Amino acid sequence: MTASVEYIPVTPIEYPDEDGKPMAEGDLQCSYLTYARNALRIYFQNHQDVYVAGNLFIYYEKGYPESVVAPDVFVVFGVENRDRRSYKTWEENNQTPNFVLEITSKTTRSKDQGAKKGIYAFLGVREYFQYDPTGDYLNPQLQGLHLVEGNYFPVATNTLTDGTVSLASQVLGLELRLEAGKLRFYNAVTGKILLTHEEEAFARQAAEEKTQRLAAKLRELNIDPDNL
């Protein structure tokens, strides 16, 4: 007699791309998240092995979709620079983020200081920065941590002559600065600020308008600006 074998279909494991929640709590948090993500994308755009993303799910244990974290901004070295719907470490040669930035607040501090911090240490995230745009609880508003033997230690804070707070990211080769409470990235070599495409366009327009005003003023003084 031939024994019958019941076929039980295996339901594929789903890894959702979103949870239906907004990318940030408010306009202020969203603006800095967008700035950091876009500025870093532009900075690394010619590096085909550097991936920059923001508010994207990172799944770090195959078969366990609950093992997930969504940093506000993160950078991974050694993986292809391409768009993804989510980031699964087992599909990326087990490469995890090297740098993480959280736009934090009072309502997210328990996760940012607790669960997420522990997960980032577990994943081997070398640098973990936090920025509190409203100054609700972080003082100074910008702080960084670097990983040493599985534990996080503070990144040294440098105060510039104009009072600007500056922290160096060895992972990115950039400086994170707190200018009058605003987060900005700077090229550590050139000293130039990292701008988004929109900010670059605005800066060019402002420079052109300034040049036109100066030319008009010179003409009022019977000076031809084209001959200078």
Side-chain angles (χ1 to χ4, degrees):
M1 182 176 65
T2 304
S4 62
V5 178
E6 182 181 0
Y7 172 72
I8 301 176
V10 177
T11 303
I13 298 174
E14 294 185 4
Y15 300 90
D17 298 325
E18 58 183 4
D19 58 7
K21 297 179 181 179
M23 66 183 296
E25 293 185 340
D27 290 338
L28 190 60
Q29 285 80 6
C30 184
S31 66
Y32 285 109
L33 188 159
T34 302
Y35 162 74
R37 180 187 60 190
N38 292 350
L40 290 175
R41 279 184 171 178
I42 294 170
Y43 181 73
F44 288 111
Q45 62 185 342
N46 294 323
H47 297 258
Q48 296 307 309
D49 61 346
V50 180
Y51 176 57
V52 179
N55 201 50
L56 193 82
F57 281 170
I58 298 176
Y59 291 98
Y60 52 90
E61 290 187 0
K62 186 176 182 179
Y64 298 90
E66 64 275 13
S67 297
V68 62
V69 66
D72 286 336
V73 181
F74 65 92
V75 181
V76 189
F77 293 91
V79 298
E80 185 180 357
N81 181 5
R82 60 177 176 81
D83 290 338
R84 295 165 172 82
R85 295 182 63 87
S86 64
Y87 187 94
K88 303 179 181 70
T89 58
W90 59 91
E91 294 180 355
E92 309 287 349
N93 199 27
N94 293 318
Q95 293 291 100
T96 57
N98 301 88
F99 172 92
V100 163
L101 169 67
E102 293 286 358
I103 312 299
T104 187
S105 66
K106 267 187 176 181
T107 56
T108 64
R109 63 179 176 179
S110 60
K111 290 183 178 179
D112 297 337
Q113 299 283 9
K116 280 191 170 182
K117 183 179 176 182
I119 292 172
Y120 296 150
F122 169 74
L123 293 178
V125 177
R126 290 171 54 196
E127 289 183 342
Y128 174 32
F129 280 74
Q130 296 179 66
Y131 169 56
D132 176 10
T134 59
D136 284 340
Y137 80 99
L138 280 188
N139 185 24
Q141 292 170 250
L142 176 64
Q143 298 182 19
L145 299 169
H146 64 97
L147 195 66
V148 179
E149 296 181 354
N151 294 305
Y152 279 120
F153 294 89
V155 173
T157 300
N158 181 33
T159 302
L160 307 182
T161 55
D162 61 356
T164 297
V165 174
S166 175
L167 287 81
S169 168
Q170 295 181 359
V171 169
L172 302 180
L174 299 171
E175 290 181 15
L176 285 75
R177 295 185 185 180
L178 189 63
E179 299 180 336
K182 297 180 179 180
L183 171 67
R184 287 293 181 263
F185 284 88
Y186 277 79
N187 188 312
V189 177
T190 65
K192 293 183 177 180
I193 189 173
L194 270 59
L195 300 176
T196 64
H197 288 307
E198 291 78 7
E199 289 173 329
E200 288 177 347
F202 180 81
R204 284 195 300 269
Q205 182 180 352
E208 290 172 0
E209 291 176 352
K210 182 178 180 180
T211 299
Q212 292 172 1
R213 289 195 300 269
L214 178 59
K217 186 65 176 179
L218 290 172
R219 291 189 181 97
E220 291 176 2
L221 300 173
N222 294 321
I223 300 173
D224 186 353
D226 295 330
N227 293 330
L228 295 178

Short mmCIF file of all heavy atoms in Angstrom, two decimals, residues 117-142:
data_model
loop_
_atom_site.label_atom_id
_atom_site.label_comp_id
_atom_site.label_asym_id
_atom_site.label_seq_id
_atom_site.Cartn_x
_atom_site.Cartn_y
_atom_site.Cartn_z
N LYS A 117 19.96 52.01 19.86
CA LYS A 117 21.38 52.05 20.20
C LYS A 117 21.94 50.65 20.37
O LYS A 117 23.04 50.33 19.89
CB LYS A 117 21.58 52.88 21.48
CG LYS A 117 23.03 53.06 21.89
CD LYS A 117 23.10 53.91 23.15
CE LYS A 117 24.53 54.04 23.66
NZ LYS A 117 24.58 54.84 24.92
N GLY A 118 21.16 49.79 21.03
CA GLY A 118 21.60 48.41 21.22
C GLY A 118 21.67 47.65 19.91
O GLY A 118 22.61 46.87 19.68
N ILE A 119 20.69 47.87 19.04
CA ILE A 119 20.68 47.19 17.75
C ILE A 119 21.87 47.65 16.90
O ILE A 119 22.55 46.83 16.26
CB ILE A 119 19.36 47.46 17.00
CG1 ILE A 119 18.20 46.77 17.71
CG2 ILE A 119 19.45 46.98 15.55
CD1 ILE A 119 16.84 47.15 17.16
N TYR A 120 22.15 48.95 16.91
CA TYR A 120 23.26 49.46 16.11
C TYR A 120 24.59 48.91 16.60
O TYR A 120 25.48 48.57 15.79
CB TYR A 120 23.28 50.99 16.14
CG TYR A 120 22.06 51.62 15.50
CD1 TYR A 120 21.58 52.85 15.93
CD2 TYR A 120 21.36 50.97 14.49
CE1 TYR A 120 20.46 53.42 15.35
CE2 TYR A 120 20.24 51.52 13.91
CZ TYR A 120 19.78 52.75 14.35
OH TYR A 120 18.67 53.31 13.77
N ALA A 121 24.74 48.79 17.91
CA ALA A 121 25.96 48.18 18.45
C ALA A 121 26.05 46.72 18.04
O ALA A 121 27.11 46.23 17.66
CB ALA A 121 25.98 48.32 19.97
N PHE A 122 24.92 46.01 18.08
CA PHE A 122 24.87 44.61 17.69
C PHE A 122 25.24 44.44 16.21
O PHE A 122 25.94 43.50 15.83
CB PHE A 122 23.47 44.05 17.95
CG PHE A 122 23.22 42.70 17.36
CD1 PHE A 122 23.77 41.56 17.92
CD2 PHE A 122 22.42 42.56 16.22
CE1 PHE A 122 23.53 40.31 17.37
CE2 PHE A 122 22.18 41.31 15.67
CZ PHE A 122 22.74 40.18 16.24
N LEU A 123 24.79 45.38 15.38
CA LEU A 123 25.07 45.32 13.95
C LEU A 123 26.48 45.80 13.60
O LEU A 123 26.92 45.65 12.47
CB LEU A 123 24.04 46.16 13.18
CG LEU A 123 22.60 45.65 13.20
CD1 LEU A 123 21.70 46.62 12.44
CD2 LEU A 123 22.50 44.26 12.61
N GLY A 124 27.16 46.39 14.57
CA GLY A 124 28.52 46.86 14.31
C GLY A 124 28.58 48.21 13.63
O GLY A 124 29.56 48.51 12.92
N VAL A 125 27.54 49.04 13.82
CA VAL A 125 27.55 50.39 13.25
C VAL A 125 28.66 51.20 13.92
O VAL A 125 28.62 51.45 15.12
CB VAL A 125 26.18 51.08 13.46
CG1 VAL A 125 26.23 52.51 12.94
CG2 VAL A 125 25.08 50.29 12.78
N ARG A 126 29.65 51.60 13.13
CA ARG A 126 30.85 52.21 13.71
C ARG A 126 30.60 53.58 14.30
O ARG A 126 31.24 53.96 15.30
CB ARG A 126 31.94 52.30 12.64
CG ARG A 126 32.52 50.94 12.25
CD ARG A 126 33.43 51.08 11.04
NE ARG A 126 34.47 52.08 11.24
CZ ARG A 126 35.20 52.61 10.27
NH1 ARG A 126 34.99 52.23 9.01
NH2 ARG A 126 36.13 53.51 10.54
N GLU A 127 29.69 54.34 13.70
CA GLU A 127 29.38 55.68 14.22
C GLU A 127 27.87 55.88 14.28
O GLU A 127 27.16 55.59 13.31
CB GLU A 127 30.01 56.77 13.36
CG GLU A 127 31.52 56.85 13.48
CD GLU A 127 32.11 58.00 12.67
OE1 GLU A 127 31.42 58.52 11.75
OE2 GLU A 127 33.26 58.37 12.94
N TYR A 128 27.41 56.39 15.42
CA TYR A 128 25.99 56.64 15.64
C TYR A 128 25.85 58.07 16.13
O TYR A 128 26.26 58.40 17.24
CB TYR A 128 25.43 55.64 16.65
CG TYR A 128 24.00 55.89 17.08
CD1 TYR A 128 23.07 56.44 16.22
CD2 TYR A 128 23.57 55.53 18.35
CE1 TYR A 128 21.76 56.66 16.61
CE2 TYR A 128 22.26 55.73 18.76
CZ TYR A 128 21.36 56.30 17.88
OH TYR A 128 20.06 56.51 18.28
N PHE A 129 25.29 58.93 15.28
CA PHE A 129 25.09 60.33 15.62
C PHE A 129 23.62 60.61 15.89
O PHE A 129 22.74 60.01 15.27
CB PHE A 129 25.59 61.24 14.49
CG PHE A 129 27.07 61.45 14.47
CD1 PHE A 129 27.93 60.44 14.05
CD2 PHE A 129 27.62 62.66 14.87
CE1 PHE A 129 29.29 60.62 14.03
CE2 PHE A 129 29.00 62.85 14.86
CZ PHE A 129 29.84 61.83 14.43
N GLN A 130 23.37 61.54 16.81
CA GLN A 130 22.01 61.97 17.11
C GLN A 130 21.95 63.49 17.06
O GLN A 130 22.86 64.19 17.53
CB GLN A 130 21.58 61.50 18.49
CG GLN A 130 21.49 59.99 18.65
CD GLN A 130 21.07 59.61 20.06
OE1 GLN A 130 19.95 59.88 20.48
NE2 GLN A 130 21.95 58.95 20.78
N TYR A 131 20.86 63.99 16.46
CA TYR A 131 20.65 65.43 16.37
C TYR A 131 19.24 65.75 16.84
O TYR A 131 18.27 65.17 16.35
CB TYR A 131 20.86 65.92 14.94
CG TYR A 131 20.41 67.34 14.69
CD1 TYR A 131 20.91 68.39 15.46
CD2 TYR A 131 19.46 67.63 13.71
CE1 TYR A 131 20.50 69.69 15.25
CE2 TYR A 131 19.04 68.94 13.48
CZ TYR A 131 19.56 69.96 14.26
OH TYR A 131 19.13 71.26 14.06
N ASP A 132 19.13 66.67 17.79
CA ASP A 132 17.85 67.08 18.36
C ASP A 132 17.55 68.51 17.90
O ASP A 132 18.00 69.47 18.51
CB ASP A 132 17.95 67.01 19.90
CG ASP A 132 16.70 67.50 20.59
OD1 ASP A 132 15.68 67.72 19.91
OD2 ASP A 132 16.73 67.68 21.82
N PRO A 133 16.81 68.68 16.78
CA PRO A 133 16.62 70.02 16.20
C PRO A 133 15.88 70.99 17.10
O PRO A 133 16.08 72.21 17.00
CB PRO A 133 15.83 69.74 14.91
CG PRO A 133 15.19 68.42 15.12
CD PRO A 133 16.13 67.64 15.99
N THR A 134 15.04 70.49 17.99
CA THR A 134 14.28 71.38 18.87
C THR A 134 14.99 71.62 20.20
O THR A 134 14.58 72.50 20.97
CB THR A 134 12.88 70.80 19.15
OG1 THR A 134 13.03 69.51 19.77
CG2 THR A 134 12.10 70.64 17.86
N GLY A 135 16.05 70.88 20.45
CA GLY A 135 16.77 71.04 21.71
C GLY A 135 15.95 70.62 22.91
O GLY A 135 16.13 71.14 24.02
N ASP A 136 15.05 69.65 22.70
CA ASP A 136 14.17 69.21 23.78
C ASP A 136 14.92 68.52 24.91
O ASP A 136 14.58 68.68 26.08
CB ASP A 136 13.11 68.24 23.24
CG ASP A 136 12.01 68.96 22.48
OD1 ASP A 136 11.85 70.17 22.70
OD2 ASP A 136 11.33 68.31 21.67
N TYR A 137 15.96 67.73 24.55
CA TYR A 137 16.62 66.99 25.63
C TYR A 137 18.12 66.81 25.43
O TYR A 137 18.84 66.54 26.40
CB TYR A 137 15.94 65.64 25.85
CG TYR A 137 16.33 64.56 24.88
CD1 TYR A 137 17.28 63.60 25.23
CD2 TYR A 137 15.77 64.48 23.62
CE1 TYR A 137 17.64 62.59 24.35
CE2 TYR A 137 16.12 63.48 22.74
CZ TYR A 137 17.05 62.54 23.10
OH TYR A 137 17.40 61.55 22.23
N LEU A 138 18.62 66.92 24.21
CA LEU A 138 20.06 66.75 24.00
C LEU A 138 20.78 68.08 24.19
O LEU A 138 20.38 69.10 23.63
CB LEU A 138 20.34 66.22 22.59
CG LEU A 138 20.18 64.72 22.34
CD1 LEU A 138 20.69 64.38 20.95
CD2 LEU A 138 20.90 63.89 23.38
N ASN A 139 21.84 68.07 24.95
CA ASN A 139 22.66 69.26 25.16
C ASN A 139 24.13 68.86 25.19
O ASN A 139 24.57 68.22 26.13
CB ASN A 139 22.28 69.97 26.46
CG ASN A 139 23.03 71.28 26.65
OD1 ASN A 139 23.49 71.88 25.68
ND2 ASN A 139 23.18 71.70 27.90
N PRO A 140 24.89 69.20 24.13
CA PRO A 140 24.47 69.95 22.94
C PRO A 140 23.53 69.15 22.06
O PRO A 140 23.40 67.94 22.22
CB PRO A 140 25.80 70.23 22.22
CG PRO A 140 26.71 69.14 22.66
CD PRO A 140 26.32 68.83 24.08
N GLN A 141 22.89 69.86 21.14
CA GLN A 141 21.86 69.25 20.30
C GLN A 141 22.41 68.19 19.35
O GLN A 141 21.66 67.34 18.87
CB GLN A 141 21.14 70.33 19.49
CG GLN A 141 20.29 71.26 20.33
CD GLN A 141 19.81 72.44 19.52
OE1 GLN A 141 20.25 73.57 19.73
NE2 GLN A 141 18.91 72.21 18.59
N LEU A 142 23.70 68.26 19.08
CA LEU A 142 24.36 67.30 18.18
C LEU A 142 25.38 66.50 18.97
O LEU A 142 26.27 67.07 19.61
CB LEU A 142 25.04 68.04 17.03
CG LEU A 142 25.87 67.19 16.06
CD1 LEU A 142 24.99 66.19 15.32
CD2 LEU A 142 26.61 68.08 15.07
#
